[in-house]
Amino acid sequence: LRSFSAYPMAFASIFNQITFVVFAIGTILLHFLILILLCFRIAPQLQSAGTLAHVLGAWSSLDVALLSLVITLQEMQQSDFAHLDDGTKATLSRVLGKEVTSDHGLLVQISLGRGTYVLIAAAVIHLVFSRVALLFLKV
């Protein structure tokens, strides 16, 4: 995803990508792995395994990340980032050679496609499975 960044080799770009991979992907997969190991009795029934499962469950906040993504996109669509007054519209009309009639200098259009609904299903499955597994295992 670094090709989408203006400065792909900058520390901030690399740090953001590593943080995303660790928290949005890694913790969820590790949480599922711990639960599967506990369910199949491969991992010893130690207090530390149960604690690790609870901690990873709290850190793997797929539901929170997904909800914040959807809310942010909705807010961006409703925001008026660059309001154009009459003078600015007249200047832009002269420069562009086309009449500018909209008051919005920047209009953001979003659509929540199939991927959003797949992620919602994954978040619900993760939430339900992890809670049921932890209750069933009594850890």
Side-chain angles (χ1 to χ4, degrees):
L1 292 176
R2 283 197 254 159
S3 62
F4 292 115
S5 175
Y7 304 102
M9 296 307 291
F11 174 76
S13 297
I14 295 170
F15 179 78
N16 287 341
Q17 291 172 6
I18 290 171
T19 303
F20 175 78
V21 168
V22 167
F23 286 102
I25 299 171
T27 56
I28 295 167
L29 293 177
L30 190 58
H31 184 233
F32 269 138
L33 179 67
I34 295 291
L35 289 176
I36 289 170
L37 292 175
L38 286 171
C39 284
F40 289 113
R41 307 284 192 251
I42 296 171
Q45 290 287 351
L46 300 173
Q47 181 64 28
S48 60
T51 303
L52 183 60
H54 282 287
V55 168
L56 289 173
W59 280 3
S60 58
S61 56
L62 178 61
D63 51 347
V64 175
L66 184 61
L67 185 62
S68 65
L69 172 77
V70 170
I71 290 172
T72 300
L73 289 173
Q74 292 293 330
E75 286 179 352
M76 286 176 66
Q77 184 173 5
Q78 295 173 4
S79 294
D80 189 10
F81 289 110
H83 183 75
L84 301 177
D85 59 9
D86 291 335
T88 307
K89 285 194 286 189
T91 303
L92 282 173
S93 296
R94 278 194 312 274
V95 170
L96 297 174
K98 255 173 113 170
E99 185 176 355
V100 177
T101 57
S102 175
D103 290 338
H104 300 285
L106 174 65
L107 188 61
V108 177
Q109 294 289 333
I110 65 150
S111 64
L112 301 176
R114 289 185 199 136
T116 307
Y117 302 111
V118 169
L119 285 175
I120 289 171
V124 170
I125 290 169
H126 177 252
L127 183 67
V128 170
F129 175 74
S130 64
R131 298 301 176 242
V132 169
L134 289 174
L135 286 174
F136 176 71
L137 295 170
K138 294 181 176 49
V139 290

